[in-house]
């Protein structure tokens, strides 16, 4: 047998053997890491170690005989409340009955002072039993605190109010440490005062009297801890200078000690304080200091998380204020160009609800022409990105579809969103309805380039198109022709029937002119009864082009010579139908390579037109007829 093994069954009988067994047993008992006791068959505690007396707080008088009866120990415990509420004698009876047939067991018991014990019992084969007691208070508190931490974090995850979370934290610590009173105070944000505490166990009058505490004032540990950012411990409030201003109040509240830990943010800013109070003077143990630090950290997480959520909510409300009440549509898309956000303005503008847009591709918002514009812009951006040029905001105009089949012109402002590597992860931007602006631009363009009565191009637009035609014919061998038309005896109609009938005649003339030429040709009105026709890209050489122009001119002359039926409503509401006969004198100038400019062409055509009038009207003349 090895030396550190025990052999209590010494085969050698006698006094020496019994003495040795007693020495071995005493050594084991005295050096056991916890409390231990031996109870014999008569339920007498015949042996125990010093830890037994200290751990269970038994007075020496109970062992005046050198031993104590289990019944007396149980009665002592029952009378001081160790077993909780109930009749002490009944509790003693229950314990004694339970020990008459002891089985191996292990249990945990919390004493009234908050101490946790692990109690193990083991029967002795020859009778009686051995009981060991281990102080597991710190282990138990660690388990309970971990559970409390999980509960607080769950409240955080659920988004409960900060007051609910901090109250749960304070009550949880007090539930674990029954003899502690706790409080949490918050800083006002400016570092001037601490607010009313979350302290459910402190007297109401004390909480009301200390609703606001000036940080740094000599009134409490919390004021000092918030001012210094360091833990402040007052072991005895009666003589501690930090409590000079509230010493009497602390006495009335029954406070003997206070330890305060600052609650700090991740950056070190003081957010508030966590304090532990005791009814009697007391210094904190290392485990108490660790408890304060852990709780302050947990409270700091809750306070910062609440501040972040509040800031986010305020930011969202501000964002909604900025985005949802404006007329412009604000949107965001993901990497696949599908909408992840669109403001309510889109429903007001196009009629689609947000749920009808979110998740859908941006192409669904545009007409076919609009999609073509977007694809062109996407291609341009892609080319730039491939060349290493990071593109930013782009602006373009495109037509949008509406729910009621209307089409709107929209100006789009699009900005890419990028990750840390610069890759595009999505886009955000603004859509602005510019339909009215486009309509106004069209109106301005119409007024600038078109005759308001006949809607035909005016002198300015014709001059631009004639210039383009001259440039085109000057580069090759093709020809064009310019016709100047003057209505015969138009003034007589105006003078006899009035300008209303004259306007009707001009409108009908413009319609007939447009129907007599090709779609690539231009019919313009210069004012009054003078019209101009521009024929471009005539086929063949000069002779063939002249013949083609002559054919079109004759077609025009014939169309304009047909009778006109002009229907006008008089002021009395009666329709007045007038049949009128009119013709036109047409002058034609052919142009091609070598022609000097617009003025030369106009002059030649105008001269030919006067030749047609001189020839008796209702006829066609070319500028070279007199050559």
């Amino acid at each position: 047998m090895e030396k550190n093994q025990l052999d209590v069954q010494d085969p050698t009988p006698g006094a020496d053997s019994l003495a040795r067994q007693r020495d071995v047993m005493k050594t084991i008992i005295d050096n056991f890491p916890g409390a231990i006791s031996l109870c014999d068959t008569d339920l007498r505690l015949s042996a125990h170690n010093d830890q037994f007396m200290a751990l269970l707080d038994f007075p020496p008088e109970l062992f005046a005989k050198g031993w104590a009866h289990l019944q007396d120990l149980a009665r002592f415990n029952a009378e001081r409340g160790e077993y909780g509420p109930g009749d002490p004698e009944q509790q003693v009876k229950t314990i004694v009955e339970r020990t008459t047939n002891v089985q191996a067991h292990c249990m945990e018991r919390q004493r009234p002072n908050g101490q946790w014990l692990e109690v193990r019992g083991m029967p002795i084969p020859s009778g009686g039993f051995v009981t060991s007691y281990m102080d597991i208070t710190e282990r138990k508190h660690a388990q309970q605190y971990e559970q409390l931490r999980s509960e607080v974090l769950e409240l955080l995850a659920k988004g409960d109010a900060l007051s609910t979370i901090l109250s749960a934290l304070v009550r949880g610590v007090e539930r674990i440490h029954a003899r502690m009173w706790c409080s949490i105070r918050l800083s006002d944000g400016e570092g001037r005062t601490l607010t009313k505490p979350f302290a459910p166990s402190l007297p109401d009058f004390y909480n009301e009297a200390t609703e606001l505490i000036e940080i740094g004032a000599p009134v409490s540990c919390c004021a000092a801890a918030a001012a210094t950012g360091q833990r402040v411990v007052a072991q005895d409030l009666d003589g501690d200078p930090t409590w000079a201003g509230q010493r009497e109040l602390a006495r009335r509240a029954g406070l003997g000690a206070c330890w305060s830990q600052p609650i700090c943010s991740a950056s070190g800013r003081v957010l508030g304080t966590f304090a532990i109070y005791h009814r009697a003077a007391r210094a904190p143990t290392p485990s108490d200091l660790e408890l304060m630090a852990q709780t302050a950290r947990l409270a700091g997480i809750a306070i910062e998380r609440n501040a972040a959520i509040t800031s986010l909510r305020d930011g969202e409300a501000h964002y909604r204020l900025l985005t949802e009440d404006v007329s412009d549509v604000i949107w965001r898309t993901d990497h696949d160009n599908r909408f992840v956000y669109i403001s309510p303005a889109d429903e007001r503008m196009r009629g689609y609800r947000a749920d009808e847009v979110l998740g859908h591709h941006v192409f669904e918002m545009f007409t076919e022409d609009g999609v073509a514009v977007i694809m062109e812009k996407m291609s341009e951006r892609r080319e730039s990105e491939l060349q290493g040029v990071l593109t930013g905001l782009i602006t373009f105009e495109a037509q949008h579809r509406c729910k009621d089949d209307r089409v709107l012109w929209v100006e789009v402002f699009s900005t890419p969103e990028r990750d840390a590597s610069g890759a595009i992860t999505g886009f955000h931007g603004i859509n602005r309805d510019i339909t009215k602006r486009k309509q106004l631009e069209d109106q301005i363009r119409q007024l600038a380039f078109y005759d308001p009565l006949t809607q035909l191009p005016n002198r300015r637009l014709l001059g631009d198109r004639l210039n383009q035609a001259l440039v085109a014919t000057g580069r090759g061998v093709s020809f064009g022709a310019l016709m100047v038309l003057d209505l015969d005896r138009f003034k007589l109609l105006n003078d006899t029937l009035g300008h209303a009938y004259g306007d009707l005649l001009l409108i009908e003339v413009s319609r007939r002119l447009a129907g007599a030429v090709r779609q690539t040709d231009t019919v313009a009105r210069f004012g009054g009864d003078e019209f101009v026709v521009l024929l471009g890209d005539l086929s063949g050489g000069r002779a063939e082009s002249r013949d083609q122009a002559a054919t079109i001119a004759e077609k025009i002359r014939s169309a304009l010579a047909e009778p006109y039926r002009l229907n006008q409503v008089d002021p009395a509401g009666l329709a007045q139908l007038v049949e009128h006969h009119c013709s036109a004198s047409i002058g034609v100038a052919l142009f091609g390579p070598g022609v000097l400019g617009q003025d030369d062409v106009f002059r030649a055509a105008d001269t030919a037109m006067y030749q047609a009038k001189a020839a008796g009207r209702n006829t066609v003349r070319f500028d070279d007829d007199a050559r």
Side-chain angles (χ1 to χ4, degrees), residues 250-535:
R251 287 173 183 163
R252 286 177 53 206
L255 305 180
C258 177
W259 320 323
S260 183
Q261 178 83 23
I263 300 171
C264 297
S265 67
S267 62
R269 182 170 61 90
V270 174
L271 304 174
T273 58
F274 169 68
I276 294 176
Y277 300 84
H278 284 278
R279 295 170 179 78
R282 179 176 170 182
T285 65
S287 61
D288 291 332
L289 299 179
E290 179 60 23
L291 170 68
M292 294 172 65
Q294 287 183 349
T295 305
R297 283 196 294 270
L298 191 53
I301 293 172
I303 296 169
E304 284 202 292
R305 174 70 179 275
N306 179 76
I309 292 174
T310 301
S311 176
L312 181 61
R313 287 173 179 167
D314 291 344
E316 289 176 345
H318 185 61
Y319 182 77
R320 286 194 297 271
L321 180 65
L322 293 177
T323 61
E324 298 188 0
D325 294 335
V326 298
S327 58
D328 291 344
V329 178
I330 298 174
W331 52 265
R332 286 187 64 220
T333 65
D334 59 17
H335 181 267
D336 297 322
N337 288 310
R338 295 187 178 276
F339 286 104
V340 296
Y341 172 79
I342 194 157
S343 65
D346 186 59
E347 183 175 357
R348 295 192 293 268
M349 186 171 79
R350 298 191 309 124
Y352 289 98
R353 300 188 312 274
D355 63 310
E356 296 176 305
V357 177
L358 297 181
H360 290 256
H361 199 278
V362 294
F363 284 0
E364 297 180 32
M365 176 181 281
F366 297 89
T367 63
E368 290 185 7
D369 290 342
V371 171
V373 172
I374 296 176
M375 293 183 68
E376 180 182 356
K377 295 297 180 182
M378 291 172 64
S379 178
E380 292 174 359
R381 188 190 293 276
R382 192 179 304 112
E383 289 296 323
S384 297
E385 298 279 336
L386 290 175
Q387 294 174 15
V389 179
L390 298 183
T391 55
L393 170 69
I394 62 170
T395 304
F396 59 91
E397 297 175 359
Q399 289 183 319
H400 280 51
R401 296 187 303 103
C402 297
K403 197 169 185 177
D404 58 4
D405 295 328
R406 289 179 300 120
V407 174
L408 299 177
W409 274 101
V410 175
E411 186 175 23
V412 180
F413 301 84
S414 177
T415 301
E417 297 178 351
R418 302 179 185 274
D419 59 19
S421 66
I424 294 177
T425 59
F427 295 87
H428 68 267
I430 296 173
N431 291 349
R432 180 169 297 160
D433 185 358
I434 59 170
T435 304
K436 291 183 179 180
R437 190 186 85 189
K438 295 290 285 187
Q439 291 172 346
L440 182 60
E441 290 175 354
D442 289 342
Q443 291 173 7
I444 294 173
R445 183 173 181 275
Q446 189 75 15
L447 291 173
F449 296 104
Y450 291 87
D451 173 56
L453 177 64
T454 63
Q455 305 302 309
L456 293 176
N458 59 16
R459 183 186 298 268
R460 179 181 298 176
L461 182 54
L462 177 68
D464 181 64
R465 293 183 180 178
L466 176 57
N467 185 62
Q468 295 178 27
L470 289 170
V471 172
T473 57
R475 288 197 299 260
V477 294
S478 63
F479 287 83
L482 186 71
M483 301 180 187
V484 175
L485 298 82
D486 189 77
L487 299 181
D488 300 328
R489 298 185 181 88
F490 175 73
K491 186 175 182 300
L492 179 62
L493 175 66
N494 271 341
D495 292 344
T496 56
L497 296 178
H499 289 284
Y501 283 98
D503 288 347
L504 290 176
L505 178 66
L506 293 174
I507 293 172
E508 179 61 19
V509 167
S510 66
R511 187 186 67 79
R512 294 184 185 185
L513 283 172
V517 300
R518 302 168 300 179
Q519 287 187 350
T520 56
D521 299 328
T522 299
V523 178
R525 182 189 178 209
F526 269 28
D529 60 345
E530 188 176 11
F531 292 84
V532 176
V533 176
L534 173 63
L535 305 177

Side-chain angles (χ1 to χ4, degrees), residues 36 52 90 133 143 169 217 275 296 302 327 333 441 477 515 533 571 599:
I36 192 169
F52 176 80
Q90 184 59 44
Y133 307 82
Q143 293 173 350
L169 183 55
S327 58
T333 65
E441 290 175 354
V477 294
V533 176
D599 292 342

Side-chain angles (χ1 to χ4, degrees), residues 163-182:
S163 58
T164 301
I165 296 171
L166 296 183
S167 295
L169 183 55
V170 167
R171 293 182 184 277
V173 173
E174 291 179 344
R175 187 171 60 248
I176 297 171
H177 302 274
R179 295 190 175 186
M180 291 181 179
W181 287 344
C182 302

